[in-house]
Amino acid sequence: MSHENEKNAPAAKRLLQPAAWAAPRGYANGVAAVGTQVFVAGQIGWNGQCQFESDDFVDQVRQALINIKAVLAEAGAEPRHIARMTWYLVDKREYVARGREVGQAYREVLGSEYGIAMTAVQVAGLIEDRAKVEIEVTAVVPARD
């Protein structure tokens, strides 16, 4: 399930890309990983005191990603350990229309880690009425990283 890197140590995360498929942009079609699994519940765009500071979609994306990064840190995980990410969107049109801004917020918070199996779905609503996005992740931290 793992492959060897330049240091001859097992890789913790391997991207799964069928040879005949076009390369995905901004995500991976699949990820195989070995290590401690970290499951982060869906995070929305409110702060650590469960208060929304903004109703702007991109601001909420940024805050949800900040929340994810904070929860990951509790397990000794970093954005590079994320293997799977699911986005629940109230309005897919806003997500598409503001894609550049979303990408910028993503890079500001999580860096340029796109080796993640990602899914985005539009939902009828989220539990918190003011929430415009909810993001959950699974990360895998290798035994020795």
Side-chain angles (χ1 to χ4, degrees):
M1 182 140 89
S2 64
H3 70 286
E4 302 294 314
N5 66 18
E6 298 83 5
K7 295 180 183 176
N8 243 8
K13 189 164 95 171
R14 181 172 57 97
L15 304 185
L16 306 175
Q17 176 64 27
W21 289 18
R25 215 173 128 198
Y27 66 95
N29 282 306
V31 175
V34 176
T36 300
Q37 297 179 29
V38 180
F39 302 95
V40 179
Q43 298 297 308
I44 60 176
W46 63 15
N47 63 27
Q49 288 68 51
C50 302
Q51 298 172 341
F52 288 94
E53 296 176 8
S54 175
D55 288 315
D56 178 73
F57 174 71
V58 175
D59 288 345
Q60 287 196 16
V61 166
R62 182 179 289 103
Q63 184 62 55
L65 295 172
I66 289 168
N67 296 346
I68 287 165
K69 192 172 179 181
V71 174
L72 287 173
E74 290 296 310
E78 300 174 13
R80 65 192 170 103
H81 298 125
I82 298 172
R84 186 195 61 79
M85 178 179 275
T86 304
W87 296 58
Y88 301 96
L89 310 161
V90 173
D91 184 354
K92 71 177 184 178
R93 288 179 183 88
E94 186 166 26
Y95 174 81
V96 171
R98 299 189 68 192
R100 270 190 201 279
E101 295 169 88
V102 168
Q104 181 178 350
Y106 182 100
R107 287 185 300 278
E108 286 172 8
V109 178
L110 300 182
S112 59
E113 177 56 57
Y114 292 103
I116 300 170
M118 290 193 204
T119 301
V121 295
Q122 180 171 298
V123 295
L126 297 167
I127 298 300
E128 293 298 326
D129 289 334
R130 286 180 67 186
K132 296 185 176 197
V133 62
E134 185 166 339
I135 307 169
E136 65 179 3
V137 304
T138 301
V140 180
V141 182
R144 291 186 185 184
D145 193 30

